[in-house]
Amino acid sequence: MRITAITLGITALAAGAALADPVEPMSVKYDDYGAIETSLSGMPGDAVEGKKVMSSRGLGNCVACHEVSALADVPFQGEIGPSLDGAGDRWNEAELRGIVADAKKTYDGTMMPSFYKTSGYIRPGNAFTGKAGTEPLPPLLTAQQIEDVVAFLLTLKD
Amino acid sequence: MNKTTASRLALTLVLSFGAGAALADENADLVVNEEIEMTVRAPAPAYLDGHLPEILSGWLFRSDETQDLQRDDFDNPGMIFVDQALDQWAMVDGSEGKSCASCHDDPADSMAGVRAVYPKWNADAGEVRTLAMQINDCRETQMGAKKWGYTSGDMTAMEALISVQSRGMPVNVAIDGPVAATWEQGKEMYYTRYGQLELSCANCHEDNYGNHIRADHLSQGQINGFPVYRLKNTKLNAAHDRFKGCVRDTRAETFDPGSPEFVALELYVASRGNGLSVEAPSVRN
């Protein structure tokens, strides 16, 4: 009986771990307005990490196009997209997750790159080498990095 | 000058350069050598269908300091390469015992106006030719010399020498007749969103010129100043090298300089600048 209980316990743990597996980019469920209801990583986001992802050239580099007053120490913020000040008031968590993962599902034709999309590109490249890449490409951000960015964006209140 | 004064001066220079780098004077006018009046803003050609209110030289988007470098040939580092090409012009090369000068004499006479109309149709070859393609055809067919690399130093210098003879003349490439299909191909490329970042030329250079993308001040991507001396790499740069870098930066499989695709794109982009002055060798960052 005890052995059965331990086995059950392990099975339950394994099931729990499976639930926390990231949703693959191809399997993401967007609603009709482009929002994503549940965490892509199965885990909550970390706003401090999200701040790093947004500021770093090698990661999200969101500030290349967007101004964020809360990141005043990050130089050369861009003017291509809207300012993200107050983003946490303008969009809810599911909407922000959808916009960061694939903004074209929310705003048709937007210039914003899709950060959690791996195929369907024209002449997909191997990162910045200029050489051909093979789809599915690695997404620009991981599931957890997207959750982290969403967590940071939710802190931006007017 | 004591040490404190020197360092304070250095700091002031750094600060003023920093400010200049961030703010371009978009109302400036360009006169080279107090003589050649450049058209740096012109009405947009009708075939741009109102997508641009006017066409603007990339010179307008650069810092005051960079702008100044193009005002005088003694300050323009690109002119060094023009001098080198002038030596090359007179140099015999290849099996036919000819130099450029053997057929074309003084480039100031024979090459005036040439840059302004390239890329153009070559009826004998039945193809659209860029200036680089024409130079290499001359070398192979007329001189019996080896072709130059499409974006090599020899090539960009020779293009600069030929372009200088047209400085101040309006770019005037043909878009119809036998080049129409190539022009359409280039136009389609201009609006195609390449690579993992899914960016077209138009996303940055039509919809967002004048805006900053991180530290870059986006221009209209005009090529009337090519080959261009870039402070970034301290050499002359061919338009196709710039195209290659731009497409690469969309995380795409880029195209090769001299490829049919980039010839088409060059024709189309050049036509977007019809009416601006030939500026080469221009100076950019």
Side-chain angles (χ1 to χ4, degrees), chain B residues 78-159:
Chain B
M79 293 307 291
I80 295 161
F81 302 96
V82 171
D83 282 343
Q84 289 174 2
L86 195 56
D87 293 339
Q88 182 78 50
W89 184 265
M91 217 179 287
V92 172
D93 194 5
S95 59
E96 303 305 304
K98 288 183 190 168
S99 69
C100 304
S102 308
C103 296
H104 299 294
D105 299 319
D106 184 351
D109 300 323
S110 61
M111 293 296 133
V114 168
R115 165 81 270 180
V117 296
Y118 269 88
K120 65 180 273 199
W121 182 250
N122 182 297
D124 293 338
E127 65 183 11
V128 176
R129 273 199 187 157
T130 62
L131 190 55
M133 288 165 73
Q134 183 58 50
I135 290 168
N136 265 342
D137 184 74
C138 254
R139 288 184 58 77
E140 268 196 315
T141 313
Q142 307 296 334
M143 299 168 70
K146 270 177 44 181
K147 286 209 279 194
W148 282 330
Y150 197 89
T151 61
S152 63
D154 283 328
M155 182 63 87
T156 50
M158 187 57 70
E159 286 184 275

Side-chain angles (χ1 to χ4, degrees), chain A residues 65-81:
Chain A
C65 291
H66 298 281
E67 208 174 355
V68 187
S69 301
L71 301 175
D73 53 328
V74 181
F76 301 119
Q77 301 193 2
E79 338 171 88
I80 306 291

Side-chain angles (χ1 to χ4, degrees), chain B residues 183-259:
Chain B
W183 186 83
E184 286 292 346
Q185 182 192 351
K187 180 179 178 183
E188 173 147 351
M189 287 180 70
Y190 192 88
Y191 290 99
T192 298
R193 298 184 64 169
Y194 290 112
Q196 193 175 10
L197 299 183
E198 295 177 286
L199 295 173
S200 69
C201 308
N203 281 139
C204 286
H205 299 292
E206 183 171 279
D207 299 336
N208 279 292
Y209 68 89
N211 288 334
H212 279 85
I213 191 161
R214 206 79 205 238
D216 285 337
H217 192 199
L218 292 172
S219 73
Q220 288 184 348
Q222 298 286 358
I223 57 171
N224 57 306
F226 277 84
V228 41
Y229 182 89
R230 294 188 74 189
L231 301 169
K232 179 180 175 175
N233 60 16
T234 65
K235 67 182 182 85
L236 289 179
N237 293 262
H240 288 205
D241 257 343
R242 199 72 194 89
F243 292 164
K244 180 184 165 184
C246 259
V247 178
R248 178 199 64 213
D249 288 349
T250 70
R251 298 174 76 106
E253 177 189 6
T254 193
F255 300 91
D256 290 327
S259 62

